[in-house]
Amino acid sequence: MCVEWYEKLYIPIIKPSISSKITLTLFDEDTFGADEHAGAIEFNLNDVIDGKFRDLFWANIHGGPENVSNDTAVLMNKVPDLASTWHGRILIALEIVDSDRPTTKLSRINNEEYKEMIEE
């Protein structure tokens, strides 16, 4: 899925889960050629369940060194704990929403308050 500005991404998570982490891997979008890993962010699932990320906050994206595409750099882009380079940040909030029919979907954010935070 390609999330753009002012969108919410809903991702189903089955509990109990084998992993205690949620990893968001971000890609840049290239007009020509394949999209590349921009980096990744990890969150502890229990922290998300406890509501620690319910409010919007700026999350740092880390990955491998710029213009390096060896195996180590690729691994750094996928595993934030190994990353050596800051690649930017995103405005994000995470929350648990119970659903009888969980599905991956996107929805537009129409709240002007969020847009003002992004444009600051």
Side-chain angles (χ1 to χ4, degrees):
M1 298 195 107
C2 181
V3 179
E4 296 185 24
W5 294 108
Y6 314 122
E7 290 185 333
K8 286 185 181 181
L9 171 62
Y10 295 87
I11 305 169
I13 297 174
I14 311 252
K15 287 177 43 182
S17 176
I18 294 172
S19 176
S20 63
K21 294 181 182 180
I22 297 172
T23 303
L24 301 178
T25 303
L26 299 118
F27 293 81
D28 70 348
E29 184 177 21
D30 290 336
T31 304
F32 302 103
D35 295 344
E36 299 169 350
H37 281 97
I41 306 170
E42 283 187 347
F43 300 96
N44 181 296
L45 180 56
N46 289 327
D47 289 344
V48 176
I49 292 169
D50 291 343
K52 291 184 179 180
F53 303 111
R54 184 173 292 128
D55 296 324
L56 286 169
F57 67 97
W58 288 103
N60 291 315
I61 303 165
H62 293 90
E66 299 277 336
N67 302 318
V68 177
S69 59
N70 61 28
D71 291 344
T72 302
V74 170
L75 187 60
M76 287 180 180
N77 284 330
K78 294 180 181 178
V79 183
D81 289 342
L82 301 177
S84 65
T85 306
W86 183 75
H87 285 207
R89 63 187 188 157
I90 62 171
L91 187 60
I92 189 170
L94 303 168
E95 67 179 315
I96 300 295
V97 178
D98 288 327
S99 174
D100 293 332
R101 302 190 75 199
T103 183
T104 302
K105 67 179 181 178
L106 288 172
S107 70
R108 297 290 299 166
I109 295 173
N110 294 316
N111 188 322
E112 292 299 319
E113 178 184 343
Y114 294 156
K115 290 181 182 180
E116 288 175 14
M117 290 178 74
I118 293 169
E119 292 168 358
E120 287 180 353

Coordinates of all heavy atoms in Angstrom, one line a residue, residues 16-94:
P16 N -3.2 -13.5 20.2 CA -1.8 -13.2 20.6 C -0.9 -13.2 19.4 O -1.2 -13.9 18.4 CB -1.4 -14.3 21.6 CG -2.4 -15.4 21.2 CD -3.6 -14.8 20.7
S17 N 0.2 -12.5 19.5 CA 1.1 -12.3 18.3 C 2.4 -13.0 18.7 O 2.8 -13.0 19.8 CB 1.3 -10.9 18.0 OG 2.3 -10.7 17.0
I18 N 3.1 -13.5 17.7 CA 4.4 -14.2 17.9 C 5.4 -13.1 18.2 O 6.3 -13.3 19.0 CB 4.8 -15.0 16.6 CG1 3.9 -16.1 16.4 CG2 6.2 -15.4 16.8 CD1 4.1 -16.9 15.1
S19 N 5.3 -11.9 17.6 CA 6.2 -10.8 17.8 C 5.7 -9.8 18.8 O 4.5 -9.6 18.9 CB 6.5 -10.1 16.5 OG 7.3 -9.0 16.7
S20 N 6.6 -9.1 19.5 CA 6.2 -8.1 20.4 C 6.5 -6.7 19.8 O 6.3 -5.7 20.5 CB 6.9 -8.2 21.7 OG 8.3 -8.1 21.5
K21 N 6.8 -6.7 18.5 CA 7.2 -5.4 17.8 C 6.3 -5.2 16.6 O 5.9 -6.2 15.9 CB 8.6 -5.5 17.4 CG 9.6 -5.5 18.5 CD 11.0 -5.5 17.9 CE 12.1 -5.5 19.0 NZ 13.4 -5.5 18.5
I22 N 6.1 -4.0 16.3 CA 5.5 -3.6 15.0 C 6.6 -2.8 14.3 O 7.1 -1.8 14.8 CB 4.3 -2.6 15.2 CG1 3.1 -3.4 16.0 CG2 3.8 -2.1 13.9 CD1 2.0 -2.5 16.4
T23 N 6.9 -3.3 13.1 CA 8.0 -2.6 12.3 C 7.3 -2.0 11.1 O 6.7 -2.7 10.3 CB 9.1 -3.6 11.9 OG1 9.6 -4.2 13.0 CG2 10.2 -2.9 11.1
L24 N 7.5 -0.7 10.9 CA 7.0 0.0 9.7 C 8.2 0.3 8.8 O 9.2 0.9 9.3 CB 6.3 1.3 10.1 CG 5.1 1.3 11.0 CD1 4.6 2.7 11.3 CD2 4.0 0.4 10.3
T25 N 8.2 -0.3 7.7 CA 9.3 -0.1 6.7 C 8.8 0.9 5.7 O 7.8 0.7 5.1 CB 9.7 -1.4 6.0 OG1 10.0 -2.4 7.0 CG2 10.9 -1.2 5.1
L26 N 9.6 1.9 5.5 CA 9.2 3.0 4.6 C 10.1 3.0 3.3 O 11.3 2.7 3.4 CB 9.4 4.4 5.3 CG 8.5 4.4 6.5 CD1 9.4 4.6 7.7 CD2 7.5 5.5 6.4
F27 N 9.5 3.3 2.2 CA 10.2 3.3 0.9 C 10.1 4.7 0.3 O 9.1 5.4 0.5 CB 9.5 2.4 -0.1 CG 9.7 0.9 0.3 CD1 8.9 0.3 1.3 CD2 10.7 0.1 -0.3 CE1 9.0 -1.0 1.6 CE2 10.8 -1.2 0.0 CZ 10.0 -1.8 1.0
D28 N 11.1 5.1 -0.5 CA 10.9 6.3 -1.3 C 10.2 5.9 -2.6 O 10.1 4.7 -2.9 CB 12.2 7.0 -1.6 CG 13.1 6.2 -2.6 OD1 12.8 5.0 -2.8 OD2 14.1 6.7 -3.1
E29 N 9.6 6.8 -3.3 CA 8.9 6.5 -4.5 C 9.7 7.0 -5.7 O 9.9 8.3 -5.8 CB 7.5 7.1 -4.5 CG 6.7 6.7 -5.8 CD 5.3 7.2 -5.7 OE1 5.0 8.1 -5.0 OE2 4.5 6.6 -6.4
D30 N 10.3 6.2 -6.5 CA 11.1 6.6 -7.6 C 10.2 6.6 -8.9 O 9.5 5.6 -9.1 CB 12.3 5.6 -7.8 CG 13.3 5.8 -6.7 OD1 13.4 6.9 -6.1 OD2 14.1 4.9 -6.5
T31 N 10.3 7.6 -9.7 CA 9.6 7.7 -10.9 C 10.2 6.6 -11.9 O 9.5 6.0 -12.6 CB 9.7 9.1 -11.5 OG1 9.3 10.0 -10.6 CG2 8.9 9.2 -12.8
F32 N 11.5 6.5 -11.9 CA 12.2 5.6 -12.8 C 12.9 4.6 -11.9 O 13.7 4.9 -11.0 CB 13.2 6.3 -13.7 CG 12.5 7.3 -14.6 CD1 12.6 8.7 -14.3 CD2 11.7 7.0 -15.7 CE1 12.0 9.6 -15.0 CE2 11.1 7.9 -16.4 CZ 11.2 9.3 -16.1
G33 N 12.8 3.3 -12.2 CA 13.5 2.3 -11.4 C 12.6 1.9 -10.2 O 11.5 2.4 -9.9
A34 N 13.2 1.0 -9.4 CA 12.5 0.4 -8.3 C 12.6 1.4 -7.1 O 13.5 2.1 -6.9 CB 13.2 -0.9 -7.9
D35 N 11.5 1.4 -6.3 CA 11.5 2.1 -5.1 C 12.5 1.5 -4.1 O 12.8 0.4 -4.2 CB 10.1 2.0 -4.4 CG 9.0 2.7 -5.3 OD1 9.4 3.5 -6.2 OD2 7.8 2.5 -5.0
E36 N 13.1 2.4 -3.3 CA 14.2 2.0 -2.4 C 13.7 2.1 -0.9 O 12.9 2.9 -0.6 CB 15.4 2.8 -2.6 CG 16.0 2.7 -4.0 CD 17.0 3.8 -4.3 OE1 17.2 4.7 -3.5 OE2 17.7 3.7 -5.3
H37 N 14.3 1.3 -0.1 CA 14.0 1.4 1.3 C 14.5 2.7 1.8 O 15.7 3.1 1.6 CB 14.8 0.3 2.1 CG 14.2 -1.0 2.1 ND1 14.5 -2.0 1.2 CD2 13.2 -1.6 2.8 CE1 13.8 -3.1 1.4 NE2 13.0 -2.8 2.4
A38 N 13.7 3.5 2.5 CA 14.1 4.7 3.1 C 14.5 4.5 4.5 O 15.3 5.3 5.1 CB 12.9 5.7 3.0
G39 N 14.0 3.5 5.1 CA 14.4 3.2 6.5 C 13.2 2.5 7.2 O 12.2 2.1 6.6
A40 N 13.3 2.4 8.5 CA 12.3 1.7 9.3 C 12.1 2.2 10.7 O 13.0 2.9 11.2 CB 12.6 0.2 9.3
I41 N 11.0 2.0 11.3 CA 10.7 2.4 12.6 C 10.0 1.2 13.3 O 9.2 0.5 12.7 CB 9.7 3.6 12.6 CG1 10.1 4.7 11.8 CG2 9.4 4.0 14.1 CD1 9.1 5.8 11.6
E42 N 10.5 1.0 14.6 CA 9.9 -0.1 15.3 C 9.1 0.4 16.6 O 9.6 1.4 17.2 CB 11.0 -1.1 15.8 CG 11.4 -2.0 14.7 CD 12.4 -3.1 15.2 OE1 12.9 -3.0 16.4 OE2 12.7 -4.0 14.5
F43 N 8.0 -0.3 16.9 CA 7.3 0.1 18.1 C 7.0 -1.2 18.9 O 6.7 -2.3 18.3 CB 5.9 0.7 17.7 CG 6.1 2.0 16.9 CD1 6.0 2.0 15.5 CD2 6.3 3.2 17.6 CE1 6.2 3.1 14.8 CE2 6.4 4.4 16.8 CZ 6.4 4.3 15.5
N44 N 7.0 -1.1 20.2 CA 6.7 -2.2 21.0 C 5.2 -2.4 21.0 O 4.5 -1.4 21.3 CB 7.2 -2.0 22.5 CG 6.9 -3.1 23.4 OD1 5.8 -3.4 23.7 ND2 8.0 -3.7 23.9
L45 N 4.7 -3.6 20.7 CA 3.3 -3.8 20.6 C 2.5 -3.5 21.9 O 1.5 -2.9 21.9 CB 3.0 -5.2 20.2 CG 1.5 -5.6 20.0 CD1 0.8 -4.7 19.0 CD2 1.4 -7.1 19.6
N46 N 3.1 -3.8 23.1 CA 2.5 -3.6 24.4 C 2.4 -2.1 24.6 O 1.4 -1.6 25.2 CB 3.2 -4.2 25.5 CG 3.1 -5.7 25.5 OD1 2.0 -6.2 25.1 ND2 4.1 -6.5 25.9
D47 N 3.3 -1.3 24.1 CA 3.2 0.2 24.3 C 2.1 0.7 23.4 O 1.4 1.7 23.9 CB 4.5 0.9 23.9 CG 5.7 0.6 24.9 OD1 5.4 0.2 26.0 OD2 6.8 0.9 24.5
V48 N 1.9 0.2 22.3 CA 0.8 0.6 21.4 C -0.6 0.2 22.1 O -1.5 1.0 22.2 CB 0.8 -0.1 20.0 CG1 -0.4 0.3 19.2 CG2 2.1 0.4 19.3
I49 N -0.6 -1.0 22.6 CA -1.9 -1.5 23.3 C -2.1 -0.6 24.5 O -3.3 -0.2 24.8 CB -1.7 -2.9 23.8 CG1 -1.7 -3.8 22.5 CG2 -2.8 -3.4 24.7 CD1 -1.3 -5.3 22.8
D50 N -1.1 -0.2 25.2 CA -1.3 0.7 26.4 C -1.6 2.2 26.1 O -1.8 3.0 26.9 CB 0.0 0.7 27.3 CG 0.2 -0.7 27.9 OD1 -0.7 -1.5 28.0 OD2 1.4 -0.9 28.4
G51 N -1.6 2.5 24.8 CA -2.0 3.8 24.3 C -0.9 4.9 24.4 O -1.1 6.1 24.3
K52 N 0.4 4.4 24.4 CA 1.5 5.4 24.5 C 1.7 6.2 23.2 O 2.4 7.2 23.3 CB 2.8 4.6 24.9 CG 2.8 4.1 26.3 CD 4.1 3.5 26.7 CE 4.0 3.0 28.1 NZ 5.3 2.3 28.5
F53 N 1.2 5.7 22.1 CA 1.4 6.4 20.8 C 0.1 6.9 20.2 O 0.0 7.1 19.1 CB 2.1 5.5 19.9 CG 3.4 4.9 20.4 CD1 3.6 3.6 20.7 CD2 4.5 5.8 20.5 CE1 4.8 3.1 21.2 CE2 5.7 5.3 21.0 CZ 5.9 3.9 21.3
R54 N -0.9 7.0 21.1 CA -2.3 7.4 20.6 C -2.3 8.8 20.0 O -3.0 9.1 19.0 CB -3.3 7.3 21.7 CG -4.7 7.6 21.2 CD -5.7 7.3 22.3 NE -5.8 5.8 22.5 CZ -5.7 5.3 23.7 NH1 -5.5 6.0 24.8 NH2 -5.7 4.0 23.9
D55 N -1.5 9.8 20.6 CA -1.4 11.1 20.1 C -0.3 11.3 19.0 O 0.7 10.6 19.1 CB -1.1 12.1 21.3 CG -2.2 12.1 22.3 OD1 -3.4 12.0 21.9 OD2 -1.9 12.2 23.5
L56 N -0.5 12.2 18.1 CA 0.5 12.4 17.1 C 1.8 12.8 17.6 O 1.9 13.6 18.6 CB 0.0 13.5 16.1 CG -1.1 13.1 15.2 CD1 -1.7 14.4 14.5 CD2 -0.7 12.1 14.1
F57 N 2.9 12.3 17.1 CA 4.2 12.6 17.4 C 5.1 12.4 16.2 O 4.8 11.8 15.3 CB 4.7 11.8 18.6 CG 4.9 10.3 18.3 CD1 6.1 9.8 17.9 CD2 3.8 9.5 18.3 CE1 6.3 8.5 17.6 CE2 3.9 8.1 18.0 CZ 5.2 7.6 17.6
W58 N 6.3 13.1 16.3 CA 7.3 12.9 15.2 C 8.1 11.7 15.5 O 8.8 11.7 16.5 CB 8.1 14.2 15.0 CG 7.4 15.3 14.5 CD1 6.9 16.4 15.1 CD2 7.0 15.5 13.1 NE1 6.2 17.2 14.3 CE2 6.3 16.7 13.0 CE3 7.2 14.8 11.9 CZ2 5.8 17.2 11.8 CZ3 6.7 15.3 10.7 CH2 6.0 16.5 10.7
A59 N 8.2 10.8 14.6 CA 9.0 9.6 14.7 C 10.2 9.7 13.7 O 10.0 10.0 12.6 CB 8.2 8.3 14.5
N60 N 11.4 9.4 14.2 CA 12.6 9.4 13.4 C 12.7 8.2 12.6 O 12.4 7.1 13.1 CB 13.8 9.6 14.2 CG 13.9 11.0 14.9 OD1 13.6 12.0 14.2 ND2 14.2 11.0 16.1
I61 N 13.1 8.3 11.3 CA 13.4 7.2 10.4 C 14.9 7.0 10.3 O 15.6 8.0 10.0 CB 12.8 7.5 9.0 CG1 11.3 7.8 9.1 CG2 13.0 6.3 8.1 CD1 10.7 8.4 7.8
H62 N 15.3 5.8 10.5 CA 16.8 5.5 10.4 C 17.0 4.4 9.4 O 16.1 3.5 9.2 CB 17.3 5.1 11.8 CG 17.4 6.2 12.8 ND1 16.3 6.5 13.6 CD2 18.3 7.1 13.0 CE1 16.6 7.5 14.3 NE2 17.8 7.9 14.0
G63 N 18.1 4.4 8.8 CA 18.4 3.4 7.8 C 19.9 3.3 7.5 O 20.7 3.9 8.3
G64 N 20.3 2.8 6.4 CA 21.7 2.7 6.0 C 22.2 4.0 5.4 O 21.4 4.9 5.2
P65 N 23.5 4.1 5.3 CA 24.1 5.3 4.7 C 23.5 5.6 3.3 O 23.2 4.7 2.5 CB 25.6 5.0 4.6 CG 25.8 3.8 5.5 CD 24.5 3.1 5.5
E66 N 23.4 6.9 3.0 CA 22.9 7.3 1.7 C 23.9 6.9 0.6 O 25.1 6.8 0.8 CB 22.9 8.9 1.6 CG 21.9 9.5 2.6 CD 20.5 9.5 2.2 OE1 20.2 9.5 1.0 OE2 19.6 9.6 3.1
N67 N 23.3 6.5 -0.5 CA 24.0 6.1 -1.7 C 24.9 4.9 -1.5 O 25.9 4.7 -2.2 CB 24.9 7.3 -2.3 CG 24.1 8.5 -2.6 OD1 23.0 8.4 -3.2 ND2 24.5 9.7 -2.2
V68 N 24.5 4.1 -0.6 CA 25.2 2.8 -0.4 C 24.2 1.7 -0.5 O 23.1 1.7 0.1 CB 25.9 2.7 1.0 CG1 26.6 1.4 1.2 CG2 26.9 3.8 1.2
S69 N 24.5 0.7 -1.3 CA 23.5 -0.4 -1.6 C 24.0 -1.8 -1.3 O 23.5 -2.7 -1.8 CB 23.0 -0.3 -3.0 OG 24.0 -0.4 -3.9
N70 N 25.1 -1.9 -0.5 CA 25.6 -3.2 -0.2 C 24.6 -3.9 0.8 O 23.7 -3.4 1.3 CB 27.0 -3.1 0.3 CG 27.1 -2.4 1.6 OD1 26.2 -2.3 2.4 ND2 28.3 -1.8 1.9
D71 N 24.9 -5.2 1.0 CA 24.1 -6.0 1.9 C 23.9 -5.4 3.3 O 22.8 -5.5 3.9 CB 24.6 -7.4 2.0 CG 24.5 -8.2 0.7 OD1 23.7 -7.8 -0.2 OD2 25.2 -9.3 0.6
T72 N 24.9 -4.8 3.8 CA 24.8 -4.2 5.2 C 23.9 -3.1 5.2 O 23.1 -2.9 6.1 CB 26.2 -3.8 5.7 OG1 27.1 -5.0 5.7 CG2 26.2 -3.2 7.1
A73 N 24.0 -2.2 4.2 CA 23.1 -1.0 4.1 C 21.7 -1.4 3.9 O 20.8 -0.9 4.5 CB 23.5 -0.1 3.0
V74 N 21.4 -2.5 3.1 CA 20.1 -3.0 2.9 C 19.5 -3.5 4.2 O 18.4 -3.2 4.6 CB 20.0 -4.1 1.8 CG1 18.7 -4.8 1.8 CG2 20.4 -3.5 0.5
L75 N 20.3 -4.2 5.0 CA 19.9 -4.7 6.3 C 19.6 -3.6 7.3 O 18.6 -3.6 8.0 CB 21.0 -5.7 6.9 CG 20.6 -6.4 8.1 CD1 19.3 -7.3 7.9 CD2 21.7 -7.2 8.6
M76 N 20.4 -2.5 7.2 CA 20.2 -1.3 8.1 C 18.9 -0.7 7.8 O 18.2 -0.1 8.7 CB 21.3 -0.3 7.9 CG 22.6 -0.7 8.6 SD 23.8 0.6 8.3 CE 25.2 -0.1 9.1
N77 N 18.5 -0.7 6.5 CA 17.2 -0.1 6.1 C 16.0 -0.9 6.6 O 14.9 -0.4 6.8 CB 17.1 0.1 4.6 CG 17.9 1.2 4.1 OD1 18.1 2.2 4.8 ND2 18.5 1.1 2.9
K78 N 16.2 -2.2 6.8 CA 15.1 -3.0 7.3 C 15.0 -3.2 8.8 O 14.0 -3.5 9.3 CB 15.3 -4.4 6.6 CG 15.1 -4.4 5.1 CD 15.3 -5.8 4.5 CE 15.1 -5.8 3.0 NZ 15.3 -7.1 2.5
V79 N 16.2 -3.1 9.5 CA 16.2 -3.3 10.9 C 16.7 -2.0 11.6 O 17.9 -1.7 11.6 CB 17.2 -4.5 11.2 CG1 17.2 -4.8 12.7 CG2 16.8 -5.7 10.4
P80 N 15.8 -1.2 12.2 CA 16.2 0.1 12.8 C 17.3 0.0 13.8 O 18.1 0.9 13.9 CB 14.9 0.5 13.4 CG 13.8 -0.2 12.7 CD 14.4 -1.5 12.3
D81 N 17.3 -1.1 14.6 CA 18.4 -1.2 15.6 C 19.8 -1.3 15.0 O 20.8 -1.0 15.7 CB 18.2 -2.5 16.5 CG 16.9 -2.4 17.4 OD1 16.5 -1.2 17.6 OD2 16.5 -3.4 17.9
L82 N 19.9 -1.6 13.7 CA 21.2 -1.7 13.1 C 21.6 -0.4 12.3 O 22.7 -0.3 11.8 CB 21.3 -2.9 12.1 CG 21.0 -4.3 12.7 CD1 21.0 -5.3 11.6 CD2 22.1 -4.6 13.8
A83 N 20.6 0.5 12.2 CA 20.7 1.6 11.3 C 21.8 2.6 11.8 O 22.0 2.7 13.0 CB 19.4 2.4 11.2
S84 N 22.4 3.3 10.9 CA 23.5 4.2 11.3 C 23.2 5.6 10.8 O 23.9 6.6 11.2 CB 24.8 3.8 10.6 OG 24.7 3.8 9.2
T85 N 22.2 5.8 10.0 CA 21.9 7.2 9.4 C 20.5 7.6 9.6 O 19.6 6.8 9.4 CB 22.2 7.1 7.9 OG1 23.6 6.6 7.7 CG2 22.1 8.5 7.3
W86 N 20.3 8.9 10.0 CA 19.0 9.4 10.1 C 18.5 9.8 8.7 O 19.2 10.4 8.0 CB 19.0 10.7 11.0 CG 17.7 11.3 11.3 CD1 16.8 10.9 12.1 CD2 17.2 12.5 10.7 NE1 15.7 11.7 12.1 CE2 15.9 12.8 11.3 CE3 17.7 13.5 9.8 CZ2 15.2 13.9 10.9 CZ3 16.9 14.5 9.5 CH2 15.7 14.7 10.0
H87 N 17.2 9.4 8.4 CA 16.7 9.6 7.1 C 15.5 10.5 7.1 O 14.8 10.7 6.0 CB 16.3 8.3 6.5 CG 17.4 7.4 6.0 ND1 17.3 6.5 5.0 CD2 18.7 7.4 6.4 CE1 18.5 5.9 4.8 NE2 19.3 6.4 5.6
G88 N 15.2 11.1 8.2 CA 14.0 12.0 8.2 C 13.1 11.6 9.3 O 13.4 10.9 10.2
R89 N 11.8 12.1 9.3 CA 10.9 11.8 10.3 C 9.5 11.9 9.7 O 9.2 12.5 8.6 CB 11.0 12.7 11.5 CG 10.7 14.2 11.1 CD 11.0 15.1 12.3 NE 10.5 16.4 12.0 CZ 10.2 17.3 12.8 NH1 10.3 17.1 14.1 NH2 9.8 18.5 12.5
I90 N 8.5 11.2 10.4 CA 7.1 11.2 9.9 C 6.3 11.6 11.2 O 6.6 11.3 12.3 CB 6.7 9.9 9.3 CG1 6.8 8.8 10.3 CG2 7.4 9.6 8.0 CD1 6.1 7.5 9.8
L91 N 5.2 12.2 10.9 CA 4.2 12.5 11.9 C 3.2 11.3 12.0 O 2.6 10.9 10.9 CB 3.4 13.8 11.6 CG 2.5 14.3 12.6 CD1 3.2 14.6 13.9 CD2 1.7 15.6 12.1
I92 N 3.1 10.7 13.1 CA 2.4 9.4 13.2 C 1.7 9.3 14.6 O 2.1 9.9 15.5 CB 3.4 8.3 13.0 CG1 2.7 6.9 12.9 CG2 4.5 8.2 14.1 CD1 3.6 5.8 12.4
A93 N 0.7 8.5 14.6 CA 0.0 8.1 15.8 C -0.4 6.6 15.6 O -0.7 6.2 14.5 CB -1.3 8.9 16.1
L94 N -0.3 5.8 16.7 CA -0.7 4.4 16.6 C -1.7 4.1 17.7 O -1.6 4.6 18.8 CB 0.5 3.5 16.9 CG 1.7 3.7 16.0 CD1 2.9 3.0 16.5 CD2 1.4 3.2 14.6

